[in-house]
Amino acid sequence: MTPAHGPLARVGVFGLLGSGNLGNDGSLEAVLGYLRREHPEASVDALCGGPEAVTARFGIPATRLHWYRGEYRTASRAGAVAAKGLGKLVDAVRTAAWVRRHDVVIVPGMGVLEATLPLRPWGFPYSLFLLCASGRLFGTRVALAGVGAAPIGDRPTRILVRWSARLAAYRSYRDAQSRDAMRAMGVDTRRDEVYPDLAFALPTPPERGVPRSEAVGELGEAPPTGPPGRVCVGVMDFHGGNDDRARAGEIHRRYLDGTIRFVRALAEDGRPVRLLTGDECDASVVAAILDAVDSPLVTAAEPASLADLMKEMAAADTVVAIRYHNLVCALKTGTPVLALCYAAKSDALMAQMGLDAFCHPAREVDADRLLEQFRALEKRSAELRQTLAERNAAAARRLEDQFTALTAALFPAADHAHDLREAP
C-alpha cells in the first residue's frame, strides 16, 4: 500500500495500553506501524492505562486514562469510595477535553466490547463510553479497529458497550462471532467488516531449522537422535469470566492443578518446558508451577512484548497456551499450538487457522486428555505447519484490506489524494 500523505492529522490511540498486558500493547504496535507507514504526517498521542510505559516504548506522548490512580483497586473505605466516584466525574471532563483535541481516535484491537474476564461496568466500559460519546459530540472520528466482542450478561455493562459501539464512527472485528454479538445487542453491523487480529500484522521472527519432531534421516532412515524438542506453555492468572465470580476460586484451582500435572508429565518424559506469560499478573502462576514441579527442565521466560513471545515460540516444537494473544503469537510463527480455551474467541481463532481439533476447556483442565491431544498435535506437526503458513499469508492480505479501510474511513483527504496518484 502506497503511503497516502495528506494534511497534518491529530490522531489519538486509546485503551488499557502500557498496563502490563502484552496483547494490548501488541495491537497498539501494529496500529502505530500502520500510521507511521501510511500516515507519517500524523501527530499521534495516547490516552491509556500506563502512559510512562507507552512513551518509553513507543516514543509517543501519553496521558493517564484515569484521574484517580486507585481506579483498579477495590474501594472499601469511605474516602476511597468518594475518591473513585469523584474520579468518574473528573474523567468525563478529561476524556472530553482530550478527544476534542483530535481529528481521529483509534481503539487498537483488544477485547473492548466483551466481558469474558472479570469486569465492572464503571471501569473500562464507562471509559469507552465516554470516549465514543465525546467523539460524537465534538465530531472526532472514533474507530474501534479489529476489536473483540461477546455476549454480555450484566445489563449495565451491556448498555455501555452497546452505546459505545453505536456512537463509534467506524467498527471492525477480529472474528465473525464478535460482529454477531454486537448485532444481537442491537448494533447495526451491516457495514462492519471482519479481519484477522491486528497482531497478525506484526513482524515475525526469522524462521528456525526443522523441528526435531519433523526431522527425518536420509533414504527413510530413522530420525536423527538429539535432545527432545522444547514445549512452550503459556499460562494465565485465570479465575473464569464475569459470570463465574461465585466459583472463581474453584476454577483457578482446577486450571492450575491441571496445568501443573501436564507440565510435570512433560518434564518426566524428558521434554524441556518454557513457561510464558502474557500479563504481569501471570507471574504468580509461573511461581506456583515452578514450586510444584521441581525439575531443571522447567524454566520461565520474562517476555516484555509479543515479539519476545514469538521468539520463544519460534524456537519451540509445540506450544500449549491459554491467553488469546499467546495463541496468536504461536499461530503467527507457524508453531503448532494446543489451546486452553476460556472464551469462544479462542475457539474461533483456532478454527480460522485450521487447528479447531486442538482446543481444550480452560475451566475443566484434564491433564490426561490434554496429554492425548498434545501427542496427537505433535504427530501432525509437519502438516499443520504447512496449513499455518497458508493461513498466515491469507491473514496478511486481509490486514492490508483492514488498513486500507481505516484510511478511507478516517483519513478521507489522504485516501482521495492516494486515488488520484494511482489513477492512470
Side-chain angles (χ1 to χ4, degrees):
M1 191 161 54
T2 305
H5 298 274
L8 180 65
R10 298 166 299 174
V11 180
V13 290
F14 176 95
L16 294 178
L17 310 164
S19 301
N21 184 283
L22 303 187
N24 291 359
D25 290 356
S27 299
L28 171 61
E29 182 180 353
V31 165
L32 290 178
Y34 149 70
L35 290 171
R36 289 164 176 165
R37 186 174 62 250
E38 305 301 332
H39 302 281
E41 77 289 347
S43 171
V44 183
D45 71 300
L47 184 62
C48 59
E52 298 86 359
V54 166
T55 297
R57 179 177 172 192
F58 299 108
I60 61 174
T63 302
R64 186 171 298 280
L65 179 60
H66 300 292
W67 172 79
Y68 179 56
R69 289 178 177 256
E71 172 64 30
Y72 293 105
R73 294 196 296 268
T74 300
S76 54
R77 293 186 298 180
V81 172
K84 183 172 282 193
L86 176 61
K88 298 305 174 186
L89 298 176
V90 175
D91 285 346
V93 176
R94 293 175 68 252
T95 301
W98 182 81
V99 170
R100 191 174 187 177
R101 297 196 299 268
H102 295 82
D103 302 303
V104 169
V105 174
I106 301 174
V107 180
M110 305 177 286
V112 297
L113 302 178
E114 63 182 50
T116 53
L117 294 175
L119 184 71
R120 298 296 190 188
W122 53 85
F124 187 77
Y126 173 74
S127 300
L128 184 66
F129 172 75
L130 291 179
L131 170 77
C132 296
S134 298
R136 181 62 66 92
L137 178 64
F138 297 118
T140 300
R141 294 182 292 276
V142 174
L144 309 180
V147 299
I152 298 173
D154 180 70
R155 188 168 182 268
T157 302
R158 186 171 65 249
I159 290 172
L160 288 170
V161 165
R162 178 171 65 239
W163 276 103
S164 297
R166 284 177 171 174
L167 292 169
Y170 173 88
R171 297 178 298 269
S172 65
Y173 307 97
R174 63 189 180 191
D175 51 50
Q177 66 186 29
S178 292
R179 182 171 60 185
D180 293 344
M182 296 315 299
R183 183 184 299 121
M185 285 188 212
V187 177
D188 184 355
T189 62
R190 286 174 295 180
R191 300 178 62 183
D192 299 353
E193 294 289 339
V194 173
Y195 301 98
D197 188 86
L198 291 170
F200 280 102
L202 295 175
T204 307
E207 293 185 10
R208 67 188 186 95
V210 177
R212 180 181 180 275
S213 59
E214 296 173 34
V216 295
E218 293 184 3
L219 300 177
E221 296 173 359
T225 58
R230 176 192 290 182
V231 180
C232 284
V233 177
V235 303
M236 180 180 181
D237 186 24
F238 178 60
H239 294 77
N242 228 31
D243 298 329
D244 298 318
R245 292 178 182 272
R247 57 191 192 103
E250 174 195 343
I251 289 173
H252 180 69
R253 283 191 299 274
R254 185 160 188 171
Y255 161 70
L256 184 58
D257 290 348
T259 303
I260 287 172
R261 286 187 58 205
F262 176 72
V263 170
R264 182 182 290 120
L266 291 178
E268 289 173 351
D269 201 32
R271 299 296 294 269
V273 177
R274 189 76 158 158
L275 302 177
L276 304 175
T277 59
D279 193 294
E280 291 175 354
C281 67
D282 301 333
S284 61
V285 177
V286 170
I289 295 172
L290 291 175
D291 185 57
V293 184
D294 185 14
S295 170
L297 290 173
V298 182
T299 59
E302 296 183 358
S305 66
L306 293 191
D308 290 345
L309 278 176
M310 284 192 274
K311 288 176 185 176
E312 293 283 350
M313 293 174 173
D317 272 13
T318 311
V319 174
V320 179
I322 176 170
R323 279 198 178 273
Y324 182 84
H325 280 99
N326 279 26
L327 297 175
V328 170
C329 286
L331 295 166
K332 183 164 174 56
T333 60
T335 307
V337 58
L338 174 55
L340 295 178
C341 300
Y342 66 86
K345 62 185 178 183
S346 299
D347 296 274
L349 174 65
M350 294 290 282
Q352 288 170 12
M353 301 302 286
L355 275 77
D356 45 313
F358 299 101
C359 296
H360 190 95
R363 287 173 176 78
E364 300 176 358
V365 177
D366 180 330
D368 294 332
R369 173 60 182 150
L370 195 60
L371 280 166
E372 290 177 11
Q373 290 180 285
F374 173 80
R375 289 165 183 146
L377 178 69
E378 291 213 311
K379 287 179 181 178
R380 294 179 56 191
S381 179
E383 167 202 344
L384 294 174
R385 284 177 180 272
Q386 179 60 39
T387 298
L388 289 176
E390 296 167 357
R391 300 294 173 96
N392 276 313
R397 291 191 295 270
R398 284 293 290 155
L399 281 170
E400 283 295 316
D401 296 338
Q402 163 70 102
F403 294 137
T404 299
L406 268 182
T407 291
L410 304 181
F411 306 95
D415 187 55
H416 177 64
H418 172 260
D419 289 343
L420 290 177
R421 286 197 304 273
E422 293 295 314

